[in-house]
Amino acid sequence: MLKLAVCVSGGGTNLQAVIDRIGSGEISDVSISVVISNNRNAYALQRAEKHGIEHVCICPKDYESRDAFNDAFLAKLDSYDVNLVVLAGFLVVIPESVIQAYRGRIINIHPSLIPSFCGKGYYGLKVHEAVLARGVKVTGATVHFVDEGTDTGPIILQRAVEVQEGDTPEILQRRVMEQAEWVLLPEAIRLIAAGKVSVTDGHVKIRK
Ligand code: GRF
């Protein structure tokens, strides 16, 4: 059984996609041990509640320093004894100590085709605003392993999505979510749970 910690900050639609694929049996041998958010108002926490999934809020502002938060975050993760940490719209910088403790066991969903429109400052709608401002015809989403950089870890899966005439950032975000994110994140978890994903020299190989 692959035990997940899913880290969220917002609406939780990617979390919901994972919950749904587990529920439908498309993903087997996977369970969500805990949903962790930095935002006590995150609707993602209500989604976890609705599905009887343990959920906790650990907010940086509740700690007197970032180091204290980082220590608490690592301790909280360790307490659930998970195999894979899934960042699903988690807007907190992952502490170095967590990267080291869970090296090769943290994945992230990013709403663009990395290495385009990623890195510091590229999150949420800002990504799609930049895509539209640049006038690219194709965007998409990427699932990647998390390392010390921002959106720089080995790429696991990507899927392209067409940019259409008249797209607003909100319309484009929704299309990227529906056509790419909500497909790729559960699929990456399924492949990892099946032991089909390996990394060699920073490149991911997926055994069919
Ligand atoms: C998604 O667009 C995801 O790609 C990005 O943050 C957003 C989270 O959305 N990392 P949700 O909370 O999963 O609905």
Side-chain angles (χ1 to χ4, degrees):
M1 179 66 75
L2 189 79
K3 295 183 291 179
L4 309 181
V6 183
C7 300
V8 296
S9 296
T13 64
N14 278 283
L15 166 66
Q16 190 65 55
V18 177
I19 290 171
D20 293 347
R21 297 291 179 293
I22 292 173
S24 70
E26 288 170 78
I27 302 180
S28 52
D29 293 333
V30 173
S31 67
I32 301 175
S33 300
V34 62
V35 171
I36 300 174
S37 183
N38 62 308
N39 170 12
R40 60 176 51 84
N41 299 317
Y43 187 67
L45 291 173
Q46 294 184 43
R47 294 179 191 271
E49 172 84 23
K50 190 171 151 219
H51 291 275
I53 298 170
E54 182 152 356
H55 48 289
V56 293
C57 183
I58 179 164
C59 307
K61 54 181 177 299
D62 293 343
Y63 294 85
E64 67 270 10
S65 71
R66 178 53 64 134
D67 284 349
F69 166 78
N70 289 347
D71 293 346
F73 183 65
L74 177 57
K76 180 61 72 178
L77 264 184
D78 287 346
S79 72
Y80 287 96
D81 189 28
V82 298
N83 311 106
L84 185 69
V85 180
V86 179
L87 308 183
F90 192 54
L91 297 179
V92 172
V93 174
I94 303 302
E96 194 96 14
S97 58
V98 172
I99 304 270
Q100 283 158 14
Y102 289 85
R103 191 167 301 282
R105 297 192 292 148
I106 309 173
I107 65 173
N108 180 50
I109 175 79
H110 182 76
S112 77
L113 294 175
I114 289 173
S116 297
F117 307 106
C118 65
K120 286 195 184 344
Y122 285 101
Y123 58 88
L125 275 179
K126 292 175 186 287
V127 174
H128 306 293
E129 287 164 0
V131 163
L132 294 172
R134 183 64 183 83
V136 296
K137 303 307 176 187
V138 174
T139 186
T142 303
V143 182
H144 63 96
F145 285 109
V146 173
D147 63 11
E148 284 77 359
T150 304
D151 304 327
T152 54
I155 290 171
I156 303 168
L157 295 172
Q158 293 189 299
R159 177 170 285 204
V161 174
E162 184 191 28
V163 181
Q164 295 177 5
E165 278 296 310
D167 272 349
T168 63
E170 292 77 8
I171 291 171
L172 183 55
Q173 178 180 55
R174 181 74 191 193
R175 188 178 311 120
V176 169
M177 282 178 160
E178 286 175 347
Q179 295 184 9
E181 297 179 42
W182 300 345
V183 175
L184 293 181
L185 190 59
E187 177 63 3
I189 292 167
R190 187 188 70 79
L191 290 167
I192 291 168
K196 293 178 181 279
V197 178
S198 60
V199 183
T200 307
D201 297 331
H203 290 78
V204 173
K205 286 193 176 64
I206 295 174
R207 198 164 41 84
K208 291 294 174 206

